[in-house]
Amino acid sequence: MIEHGNVQSTVKPDELVVDENSVWVASDIKEVTEEEFEGFEYHLVQYTKDEYIIRTEEQRKLDKMENDLAIVELAETLMGGAF
């Protein structure tokens, strides 16, 4: 993973771009109008394809765990804390 930090461009970036070797993720995209620059500013991270796949899978697992926990908490609330 390479953190490119905040970058500027005159063209609005796509949030996700896949090329031959990398996956590029642009986030926090903001339109910028300054005295000497008019365009977009955003945070850019470059992943290898393998890194991106692993990151996505880890995030999916985390999201599932959070959803499962929310379901348990809801069930406990509905059952009056019977679990």
Side-chain angles (χ1 to χ4, degrees), residues 16-73:
L16 183 70
V17 174
V18 180
D19 65 23
E20 188 174 317
N21 301 308
S22 302
V23 177
W24 301 80
V25 179
S27 60
D28 301 324
I29 301 168
K30 299 174 191 135
E31 196 165 347
V32 176
T33 303
E34 298 173 350
E35 189 172 310
E36 295 185 20
F37 177 76
E38 190 171 320
F40 298 89
E41 184 174 278
Y42 52 95
H43 186 82
L44 185 64
V45 181
Q46 177 185 3
Y47 298 93
T48 66
K49 289 181 179 179
D50 289 342
E51 286 173 330
Y52 185 76
I53 290 168
I54 291 167
R55 175 184 172 269
T56 302
E57 182 62 21
E58 288 173 350
Q59 186 62 48
R60 186 191 65 76
K61 287 178 183 176
L62 181 59
D63 290 346
K64 183 179 179 337
M65 286 174 40
E66 289 174 352
N67 287 341
D68 290 348
L69 179 59
I71 290 169
V72 168
E73 290 174 353

